[in-house]
Amino acid sequence: MIMNLRSDADGIIQESLAAILPDAAVEKALRGHTFGTGRIVLVAVGKAAWQMARAASDELGSRIDRGIVITKYGHIKGDIPNISCREAGHPVPDANSFAATQEALDLTTDLAAEDTVLFLLSGGGSALFEKPLIPPAELTDLTEQLLASGADIVAVNTLRKRMSAVKGGRFAEHCAPAQVFTIVLSDILGDPLDMIASGPAYPDTSTAKDAHAVMKKYSIRLSPAATKLLDAALPAELPNVTTHITGSVRELCAAAAEAAQRRGYTPVLLTDQLDCEAREAGRFLAAIARTHAHAGSFAYIAGGETVVQLKGRGRGGRNQEIALAAADGIAGIPNVAVFSVGSDGTDGPTDAAGGYVDGGTAAALAQERRSAAEALAENDAYPALNDVGGLIVTGPTGTNVNDVSVLLIRG
């Protein structure tokens, strides 16, 4: 039974991710858009940037005058005609982030009103697309503080955009008078366009008061110069921008439901707005399992983006913590499994997409002289899951629309 559950989980993951690749959505958006008579300059930013750029190149061909892809290390899968492909740091920006961003700015300088910047944006852009207004070392420190604080992505980006020359609508302002046609692959719950990748081409809806509140709530340390930047005005209007949003965690959950149903499970969507602590989500799924373990074959699905408050020095990610946190709660139940994956194929600073546990995981951890509780206390889910075959490794997927967590019960 346990082996069948793992096989089912792997199949659901594979089919769900294949269903939400951005290629078809990008092509559809481009076919429905009329470009001006001038040049088309492509700028693709984010974890799904290469996949989106390739789809655009396949659709537009030689109409693209020049362009650049800026994506995470290991995410480029080949050359694209007339487009430079660059890899950079994520989740903390690095020198390659800054250099690639400057290249994008150079490509979009001195454009005319009849020109168009085709801006393909996906999650991860906040780190990958960056020209800091503070020293790089301070930006690194700020990013690490925010990632460790447990703040959600909206709070994180409310601060980050004010430290940048390209975020908060400033990139689109730089491109004027050229038109900016943005295709966005959403990785934030509710699809707030000013927060996805910190909104380089969308007017800011947060305020200086919001930014100061985030700084205070999460005890973020900033230099006086950086603190002053919180009060700087960001573009309130961007008349040169047209935005088309495609892809979301809702589609990921729907794809998971269909894949589970094909395997004989009755899918139940719990939420597509999951935004709690990762380990609490795992414990909640385990509680559902204990209640319904003998009720039939069900797949309980939750999509969203949880947070992890870093207190230990281990390796892992939010999806690995969701899975590991469920292990003790389902221990000994032979027909139950919990898995959670990031749709981009990476979970935290690891090579895993997420984690899988079932009724035998707790006993397997004990044989390795490990426990889920100890690993979670040190934020060390990766080696614990690795020792018991619980890591899910997909490699870069070419998309990025949040995470999906699934409880499987085989009746």
Side-chain angles (χ1 to χ4, degrees), residues 264-292:
Y265 298 93
T266 299
V268 179
L269 176 62
L270 297 172
T271 182
D272 57 16
Q273 301 283 318
L274 190 66
D275 64 352
C276 60
E277 282 270 353
R279 61 190 64 185
E280 293 304 318
R283 291 176 183 132
F284 178 63
L285 291 174
I288 294 173
R290 293 194 299 274
T291 298
H292 297 287

mmCIF file of all heavy atoms in Angstrom, residues 264-292:
data_model
loop_
_atom_site.group_PDB
_atom_site.id
_atom_site.type_symbol
_atom_site.label_atom_id
_atom_site.label_comp_id
_atom_site.label_asym_id
_atom_site.label_seq_id
_atom_site.Cartn_x
_atom_site.Cartn_y
_atom_site.Cartn_z
ATOM 1 N N GLY A 264 -8.253 7.219 -8.967
ATOM 2 C CA GLY A 264 -9.277 6.636 -8.123
ATOM 3 C C GLY A 264 -9.563 7.358 -6.827
ATOM 4 O O GLY A 264 -10.340 6.863 -6.005
ATOM 5 N N TYR A 265 -8.971 8.511 -6.618
ATOM 6 C CA TYR A 265 -9.232 9.299 -5.415
ATOM 7 C C TYR A 265 -10.347 10.307 -5.683
ATOM 8 O O TYR A 265 -10.457 10.862 -6.785
ATOM 9 C CB TYR A 265 -7.982 10.070 -4.976
ATOM 10 C CG TYR A 265 -6.801 9.211 -4.602
ATOM 11 C CD1 TYR A 265 -5.840 8.883 -5.558
ATOM 12 C CD2 TYR A 265 -6.641 8.753 -3.303
ATOM 13 C CE1 TYR A 265 -4.749 8.101 -5.225
ATOM 14 C CE2 TYR A 265 -5.547 7.968 -2.954
ATOM 15 C CZ TYR A 265 -4.593 7.647 -3.923
ATOM 16 O OH TYR A 265 -3.513 6.872 -3.599
ATOM 17 N N THR A 266 -11.134 10.576 -4.677
ATOM 18 C CA THR A 266 -12.088 11.677 -4.741
ATOM 19 C C THR A 266 -11.381 12.936 -4.263
ATOM 20 O O THR A 266 -10.971 13.018 -3.098
ATOM 21 C CB THR A 266 -13.308 11.411 -3.843
ATOM 22 O OG1 THR A 266 -13.972 10.237 -4.289
ATOM 23 C CG2 THR A 266 -14.269 12.589 -3.877
ATOM 24 N N PRO A 267 -11.190 13.933 -5.138
ATOM 25 C CA PRO A 267 -10.440 15.120 -4.723
ATOM 26 C C PRO A 267 -11.294 16.063 -3.878
ATOM 27 O O PRO A 267 -12.486 16.247 -4.151
ATOM 28 C CB PRO A 267 -10.057 15.771 -6.048
ATOM 29 C CG PRO A 267 -11.083 15.307 -7.022
ATOM 30 C CD PRO A 267 -11.520 13.945 -6.576
ATOM 31 N N VAL A 268 -10.675 16.649 -2.866
ATOM 32 C CA VAL A 268 -11.320 17.640 -2.015
ATOM 33 C C VAL A 268 -10.381 18.847 -1.919
ATOM 34 O O VAL A 268 -9.271 18.725 -1.377
ATOM 35 C CB VAL A 268 -11.600 17.090 -0.600
ATOM 36 C CG1 VAL A 268 -12.247 18.176 0.262
ATOM 37 C CG2 VAL A 268 -12.477 15.854 -0.664
ATOM 38 N N LEU A 269 -10.793 19.971 -2.457
ATOM 39 C CA LEU A 269 -9.976 21.175 -2.374
ATOM 40 C C LEU A 269 -10.214 21.832 -1.017
ATOM 41 O O LEU A 269 -11.306 22.342 -0.743
ATOM 42 C CB LEU A 269 -10.319 22.157 -3.497
ATOM 43 C CG LEU A 269 -9.573 23.494 -3.447
ATOM 44 C CD1 LEU A 269 -8.065 23.288 -3.574
ATOM 45 C CD2 LEU A 269 -10.082 24.436 -4.524
ATOM 46 N N LEU A 270 -9.203 21.819 -0.179
ATOM 47 C CA LEU A 270 -9.304 22.466 1.126
ATOM 48 C C LEU A 270 -9.181 23.979 0.989
ATOM 49 O O LEU A 270 -9.951 24.733 1.571
ATOM 50 C CB LEU A 270 -8.221 21.938 2.064
ATOM 51 C CG LEU A 270 -8.277 20.455 2.402
ATOM 52 C CD1 LEU A 270 -7.040 20.039 3.172
ATOM 53 C CD2 LEU A 270 -9.538 20.154 3.213
ATOM 54 N N THR A 271 -8.194 24.424 0.211
ATOM 55 C CA THR A 271 -7.969 25.853 0.000
ATOM 56 C C THR A 271 -6.936 26.042 -1.101
ATOM 57 O O THR A 271 -6.086 25.174 -1.320
ATOM 58 C CB THR A 271 -7.475 26.552 1.290
ATOM 59 O OG1 THR A 271 -7.305 27.955 1.046
ATOM 60 C CG2 THR A 271 -6.135 25.976 1.749
ATOM 61 N N ASP A 272 -7.016 27.192 -1.781
ATOM 62 C CA ASP A 272 -5.921 27.608 -2.650
ATOM 63 C C ASP A 272 -5.326 28.913 -2.132
ATOM 64 O O ASP A 272 -4.712 29.670 -2.869
ATOM 65 C CB ASP A 272 -6.384 27.750 -4.111
ATOM 66 C CG ASP A 272 -7.535 28.728 -4.278
ATOM 67 O OD1 ASP A 272 -7.804 29.528 -3.352
ATOM 68 O OD2 ASP A 272 -8.184 28.700 -5.348
ATOM 69 N N GLN A 273 -5.516 29.133 -0.815
ATOM 70 C CA GLN A 273 -5.028 30.359 -0.167
ATOM 71 C C GLN A 273 -4.222 30.028 1.088
ATOM 72 O O GLN A 273 -4.218 30.791 2.052
ATOM 73 C CB GLN A 273 -6.211 31.260 0.202
ATOM 74 C CG GLN A 273 -7.078 31.671 -0.965
ATOM 75 C CD GLN A 273 -6.444 32.755 -1.805
ATOM 76 O OE1 GLN A 273 -5.868 33.704 -1.287
ATOM 77 N NE2 GLN A 273 -6.521 32.620 -3.118
ATOM 78 N N LEU A 274 -3.521 28.917 1.103
ATOM 79 C CA LEU A 274 -2.771 28.489 2.293
ATOM 80 C C LEU A 274 -1.608 29.447 2.548
ATOM 81 O O LEU A 274 -0.747 29.649 1.683
ATOM 82 C CB LEU A 274 -2.237 27.072 2.075
ATOM 83 C CG LEU A 274 -1.632 26.363 3.286
ATOM 84 C CD1 LEU A 274 -2.707 26.087 4.326
ATOM 85 C CD2 LEU A 274 -0.953 25.064 2.853
ATOM 86 N N ASP A 275 -1.570 30.041 3.741
ATOM 87 C CA ASP A 275 -0.507 31.013 4.015
ATOM 88 C C ASP A 275 -0.071 31.019 5.479
ATOM 89 O O ASP A 275 0.293 32.042 6.038
ATOM 90 C CB ASP A 275 -0.946 32.419 3.596
ATOM 91 C CG ASP A 275 -2.128 32.928 4.415
ATOM 92 O OD1 ASP A 275 -2.707 32.148 5.195
ATOM 93 O OD2 ASP A 275 -2.471 34.124 4.281
ATOM 94 N N CYS A 276 -0.075 29.842 6.106
ATOM 95 C CA CYS A 276 0.301 29.728 7.517
ATOM 96 C C CYS A 276 1.748 29.242 7.648
ATOM 97 O O CYS A 276 2.467 29.115 6.662
ATOM 98 C CB CYS A 276 -0.642 28.761 8.215
ATOM 99 S SG CYS A 276 -0.621 27.094 7.500
ATOM 100 N N GLU A 277 2.161 28.960 8.876
ATOM 101 C CA GLU A 277 3.456 28.326 9.104
ATOM 102 C C GLU A 277 3.458 26.942 8.464
ATOM 103 O O GLU A 277 2.486 26.191 8.567
ATOM 104 C CB GLU A 277 3.733 28.184 10.603
ATOM 105 C CG GLU A 277 4.196 29.452 11.287
ATOM 106 C CD GLU A 277 5.711 29.595 11.273
ATOM 107 O OE1 GLU A 277 6.396 28.642 10.843
ATOM 108 O OE2 GLU A 277 6.199 30.651 11.698
ATOM 109 N N ALA A 278 4.561 26.586 7.819
ATOM 110 C CA ALA A 278 4.631 25.314 7.084
ATOM 111 C C ALA A 278 4.348 24.128 7.993
ATOM 112 O O ALA A 278 3.555 23.235 7.652
ATOM 113 C CB ALA A 278 6.004 25.179 6.432
ATOM 114 N N ARG A 279 4.964 24.092 9.149
ATOM 115 C CA ARG A 279 4.788 22.915 10.015
ATOM 116 C C ARG A 279 3.363 22.812 10.543
ATOM 117 O O ARG A 279 2.867 21.711 10.768
ATOM 118 C CB ARG A 279 5.805 22.935 11.144
ATOM 119 C CG ARG A 279 5.730 24.115 12.087
ATOM 120 C CD ARG A 279 6.939 24.150 13.008
ATOM 121 N NE ARG A 279 8.170 24.364 12.262
ATOM 122 C CZ ARG A 279 9.381 24.346 12.820
ATOM 123 N NH1 ARG A 279 9.514 24.088 14.106
ATOM 124 N NH2 ARG A 279 10.457 24.566 12.091
ATOM 125 N N GLU A 280 2.682 23.949 10.694
ATOM 126 C CA GLU A 280 1.284 23.896 11.116
ATOM 127 C C GLU A 280 0.404 23.301 10.020
ATOM 128 O O GLU A 280 -0.548 22.559 10.293
ATOM 129 C CB GLU A 280 0.792 25.301 11.501
ATOM 130 C CG GLU A 280 1.463 25.872 12.740
ATOM 131 C CD GLU A 280 1.324 24.951 13.947
ATOM 132 O OE1 GLU A 280 0.224 24.383 14.148
ATOM 133 O OE2 GLU A 280 2.310 24.769 14.685
ATOM 134 N N ALA A 281 0.718 23.622 8.759
ATOM 135 C CA ALA A 281 -0.017 23.027 7.643
ATOM 136 C C ALA A 281 0.165 21.513 7.629
ATOM 137 O O ALA A 281 -0.789 20.757 7.403
ATOM 138 C CB ALA A 281 0.458 23.632 6.324
ATOM 139 N N GLY A 282 1.384 21.039 7.872
ATOM 140 C CA GLY A 282 1.637 19.604 7.906
ATOM 141 C C GLY A 282 0.876 18.912 9.020
ATOM 142 O O GLY A 282 0.292 17.834 8.823
ATOM 143 N N ARG A 283 0.854 19.511 10.183
ATOM 144 C CA ARG A 283 0.128 18.915 11.314
ATOM 145 C C ARG A 283 -1.378 18.896 11.048
ATOM 146 O O ARG A 283 -2.080 17.957 11.435
ATOM 147 C CB ARG A 283 0.449 19.681 12.594
ATOM 148 C CG ARG A 283 1.892 19.488 13.055
ATOM 149 C CD ARG A 283 2.228 20.325 14.266
ATOM 150 N NE ARG A 283 3.616 20.172 14.635
ATOM 151 C CZ ARG A 283 4.449 21.181 14.901
ATOM 152 N NH1 ARG A 283 4.010 22.432 14.843
ATOM 153 N NH2 ARG A 283 5.706 20.954 15.229
ATOM 154 N N PHE A 284 -1.875 19.934 10.379
ATOM 155 C CA PHE A 284 -3.300 19.977 10.062
ATOM 156 C C PHE A 284 -3.678 18.862 9.084
ATOM 157 O O PHE A 284 -4.702 18.183 9.257
ATOM 158 C CB PHE A 284 -3.648 21.340 9.471
ATOM 159 C CG PHE A 284 -5.098 21.475 9.065
ATOM 160 C CD1 PHE A 284 -6.102 21.386 10.010
ATOM 161 C CD2 PHE A 284 -5.441 21.689 7.744
ATOM 162 C CE1 PHE A 284 -7.444 21.508 9.648
ATOM 163 C CE2 PHE A 284 -6.767 21.809 7.367
ATOM 164 C CZ PHE A 284 -7.777 21.722 8.324
ATOM 165 N N LEU A 285 -2.848 18.638 8.072
ATOM 166 C CA LEU A 285 -3.116 17.546 7.130
ATOM 167 C C LEU A 285 -3.090 16.196 7.840
ATOM 168 O O LEU A 285 -3.902 15.303 7.550
ATOM 169 C CB LEU A 285 -2.101 17.583 5.992
ATOM 170 C CG LEU A 285 -2.228 18.765 5.017
ATOM 171 C CD1 LEU A 285 -1.074 18.776 4.024
ATOM 172 C CD2 LEU A 285 -3.559 18.718 4.270
ATOM 173 N N ALA A 286 -2.171 16.043 8.783
ATOM 174 C CA ALA A 286 -2.115 14.796 9.549
ATOM 175 C C ALA A 286 -3.377 14.606 10.389
ATOM 176 O O ALA A 286 -3.890 13.483 10.532
ATOM 177 C CB ALA A 286 -0.877 14.779 10.443
ATOM 178 N N ALA A 287 -3.901 15.697 10.935
ATOM 179 C CA ALA A 287 -5.133 15.611 11.735
ATOM 180 C C ALA A 287 -6.313 15.176 10.860
ATOM 181 O O ALA A 287 -7.155 14.371 11.282
ATOM 182 C CB ALA A 287 -5.425 16.963 12.389
ATOM 183 N N ILE A 288 -6.374 15.699 9.645
ATOM 184 C CA ILE A 288 -7.423 15.277 8.716
ATOM 185 C C ILE A 288 -7.283 13.785 8.423
ATOM 186 O O ILE A 288 -8.273 13.039 8.366
ATOM 187 C CB ILE A 288 -7.356 16.097 7.418
ATOM 188 C CG1 ILE A 288 -7.688 17.561 7.700
ATOM 189 C CG2 ILE A 288 -8.313 15.533 6.365
ATOM 190 C CD1 ILE A 288 -7.483 18.467 6.506
ATOM 191 N N ALA A 289 -6.055 13.343 8.250
ATOM 192 C CA ALA A 289 -5.811 11.925 7.968
ATOM 193 C C ALA A 289 -6.323 11.030 9.089
ATOM 194 O O ALA A 289 -6.948 9.986 8.836
ATOM 195 C CB ALA A 289 -4.320 11.689 7.746
ATOM 196 N N ARG A 290 -6.084 11.429 10.325
ATOM 197 C CA ARG A 290 -6.515 10.596 11.453
ATOM 198 C C ARG A 290 -8.046 10.507 11.531
ATOM 199 O O ARG A 290 -8.598 9.489 11.912
ATOM 200 C CB ARG A 290 -5.952 11.154 12.763
ATOM 201 C CG ARG A 290 -4.433 11.036 12.868
ATOM 202 C CD ARG A 290 -3.945 11.266 14.287
ATOM 203 N NE ARG A 290 -4.265 12.590 14.794
ATOM 204 C CZ ARG A 290 -3.508 13.679 14.600
ATOM 205 N NH1 ARG A 290 -2.389 13.588 13.869
ATOM 206 N NH2 ARG A 290 -3.855 14.833 15.122
ATOM 207 N N THR A 291 -8.714 11.580 11.126
ATOM 208 C CA THR A 291 -10.181 11.581 11.157
ATOM 209 C C THR A 291 -10.779 10.744 10.036
ATOM 210 O O THR A 291 -11.773 10.032 10.230
ATOM 211 C CB THR A 291 -10.708 13.023 11.057
ATOM 212 O OG1 THR A 291 -10.256 13.774 12.181
ATOM 213 C CG2 THR A 291 -12.242 13.057 11.021
ATOM 214 N N HIS A 292 -10.174 10.781 8.860
ATOM 215 C CA HIS A 292 -10.804 10.205 7.672
ATOM 216 C C HIS A 292 -10.066 8.990 7.112
ATOM 217 O O HIS A 292 -10.335 8.589 5.979
ATOM 218 C CB HIS A 292 -10.902 11.283 6.585
ATOM 219 C CG HIS A 292 -11.770 12.441 6.963
ATOM 220 N ND1 HIS A 292 -13.150 12.351 7.018
ATOM 221 C CD2 HIS A 292 -11.456 13.714 7.328
ATOM 222 C CE1 HIS A 292 -13.640 13.524 7.375
ATOM 223 N NE2 HIS A 292 -12.648 14.367 7.577
#
